[in-house]
Amino acid sequence: MGLLDLAAGRPTPTPHEQALAHAANGVAIYWRPGCPFTARLRLTLRPLRKRARWVNIWEDDAGRAFVASVNDGNETVPTVVIDGIPHTNPDPSIVKAALTR
């Protein structure tokens, strides 16, 4: 769980929790700095990248655990969740199509 939202008295969702909620009917992208495959994806999505939720797995333990859980224990990025389905290093055109529909 995230930090306590003092105004509402409930936990604030973590970036991972927010991303999964967004990806139920959209796109969430799990990444890490220095990954050339993520850089390629970012360049391809340049005008559309704000439509996706981005989670840096080096800054979000729950996101890192999620990526490992869908990649046989490996922290393979980018892992992209489209409409609730995880894809490991998908072709950028697939992600672009999901973001433009």
Side-chain angles (χ1 to χ4, degrees):
M1 282 292 174
L3 301 173
L4 185 63
D5 179 352
L6 296 177
R10 61 181 177 267
T12 302
T14 66
H16 166 65
E17 292 167 336
Q18 293 173 13
L20 279 186
H22 181 78
N25 294 305
V27 177
I29 301 169
Y30 293 82
W31 68 286
R32 65 170 171 75
C35 171
F37 301 105
T38 299
R40 176 181 72 140
L41 182 61
R42 278 187 185 273
L43 284 174
T44 301
L45 301 179
R46 193 174 315 185
L48 303 168
R49 66 180 171 223
K50 289 186 179 182
R51 293 184 181 185
R53 292 288 177 129
W54 294 78
V55 178
N56 179 345
I57 67 167
W58 284 359
E59 294 179 352
D60 187 289
D61 291 335
R64 182 174 37 248
F66 170 75
V67 168
S69 77
V70 298
N71 290 298
D72 299 320
N74 298 306
E75 295 177 2
T76 307
V77 292
T79 293
V80 181
V81 181
I82 300 171
D83 296 332
I85 301 169
H87 304 267
T88 304
N89 194 16
D91 186 285
S93 65
I94 294 169
V95 182
K96 189 174 184 178
L99 290 171
T100 56
R101 59 189 159 116

